[in-house]
Amino acid sequence: MTALAFSDTLCDHTSVGVLISSPAGLLMFERGTPPIGIAPVAGHIDQHGSPEQAAIAEVAEEVGMAVTHLDLLLTAWRLNRCRRSISGEAGHRWWIYQAQTTGPLRPSPREVHAPRWIRPDQLQRYAQRTAAYATGHISEPEFTAQPGLTPVWARFLHHLRLLTLPYDVLAQIDKII
């Protein structure tokens, strides 16, 4: 089995997320692969090497832009599920970056659906939709048809003060990640 095939099927328990901002807002999109929801650029570190190298590669792979500068915003362990096979404990060690980029937006048709720049008020509405799903106010089919944030992103974006959710709601969202 090649290293690439191995990394595509087995979770390495490490992930990066990359926030790209413009005057129009934060670049977000509906994920084309599980988990369902709206998220920024993100992916496993895999064969990319370091978290920084993975962040640069994921931006290029998912949205076709070139990273000119990265700032590490936070690192955290999250017990989020993975679509890949896992060995050991479920979850990922995350590195979340803010990136400056150049070049046109060229989204990956496999991974990125409906990319858009989201203003803070819109981001808050997507978070509230995720909260409604986590607290049982909307069903999984309703969430899938009109998604909110990918659940793992709710706490990250709350921690970064990009949205606000009550701690009891964040705890409910953590149960569905």
Side-chain angles (χ1 to χ4, degrees):
M1 182 179 274
T2 67
L4 183 57
F6 178 79
S7 69
D8 283 344
T9 60
L10 187 64
C11 179
D12 68 354
H13 300 285
T14 60
S15 292
V16 295
V18 185
L19 303 178
I20 302 169
S21 300
S22 81
L26 187 63
L27 181 59
M28 304 281 279
F29 50 86
E30 294 178 29
R31 293 181 46 83
T33 58
I36 299 298
I38 295 168
V41 169
H44 287 89
I45 292 178
D46 290 332
Q47 74 279 5
H48 296 304
S50 71
E52 295 85 2
Q53 291 168 322
I56 291 166
E58 288 296 329
V59 169
E61 291 169 16
E62 292 187 3
V63 296
M65 301 169 97
V67 171
T68 59
H69 184 77
L70 278 177
D71 285 313
L72 181 63
L73 300 176
L74 68 94
T75 62
W77 175 262
R78 298 304 313 275
L79 288 173
N80 63 303
R81 288 177 258 167
C82 187
R83 72 178 185 275
R84 296 179 177 185
S85 300
I86 61 167
S87 62
E89 179 181 26
H92 298 82
R93 178 73 175 164
W94 283 85
W95 285 262
I96 308 297
Y97 293 93
Q98 175 74 47
Q100 293 175 8
T101 60
T102 188
L105 179 63
R106 291 173 307 194
S108 161
R110 183 180 83 79
E111 298 186 72
V112 175
H113 298 159
R116 56 209 177 260
W117 298 99
I118 296 179
R119 297 181 319 273
D121 62 312
Q122 295 169 306
L123 190 62
Q124 186 68 39
R125 283 196 299 272
Y126 287 123
Q128 290 167 339
R129 181 131 181 103
T130 302
Y133 172 52
T135 57
H137 291 92
I138 62 172
S139 68
E140 185 171 349
E142 290 171 310
F143 186 77
T144 300
Q146 187 178 355
L149 289 178
T150 301
V152 72
W153 279 98
R155 192 171 290 271
F156 289 147
L157 297 173
H158 176 86
H159 179 82
L160 294 169
R161 298 181 184 188
L162 296 172
L163 58 86
T164 304
L165 290 169
Y167 286 104
D168 61 325
V169 172
L170 284 169
Q172 289 296 111
I173 293 171
D174 286 344
K175 291 178 183 178
I176 64 168
I177 64 171

